[in-house]
Amino acid sequence: MGRDVTKAGIVAGTILAGLVLLPVLEEIAVVGVLFLVAVVSFALFVLVVLWHAARRHPMVGVLVGAWLVHRHDRRVRRAVDARSWPCPSPWAPPDPRTRSHW
């Protein structure tokens, strides 16, 4: 009989603790969701304001142009380096003159 009383006490304590803690956990979850919504909304607002300011600022065009020129220069340099490499690439297509006819 002692085990049955202990099991019943554990079940009753669990239910009571759940009933007491459920409103607290629910309130914490609601506050967390509201905080997350507020942070996301504020971040979107800041991004919109910065985007609007950046689009109207004349320096943005200069920076984008400099980035594009740098990117083009880097690609050209990489292509020139690849062409001037002394040994042929092992992944190059085979020479058709030395290929087997079978």
Side-chain angles (χ1 to χ4, degrees), residues 13-48:
T14 304
I15 291 173
L16 188 62
L19 290 175
V20 169
L21 292 178
L22 188 62
V24 174
L25 294 175
E26 184 182 359
E27 190 160 335
I28 290 172
V30 168
V31 168
V33 168
L34 287 176
F35 180 73
L36 186 65
V37 167
V39 167
V40 168
S41 299
F42 182 70
L44 286 174
F45 175 72
V46 168
L47 285 175
V48 166

Side-chain angles (χ1 to χ4, degrees), residues 64-78:
V64 169
W67 176 72
L68 288 173
V69 168
H70 168 71
R71 185 173 160 216
H72 173 73
D73 186 42
R74 193 177 62 217
R75 284 184 175 186
V76 167
R77 197 176 315 123
R78 207 179 296 154

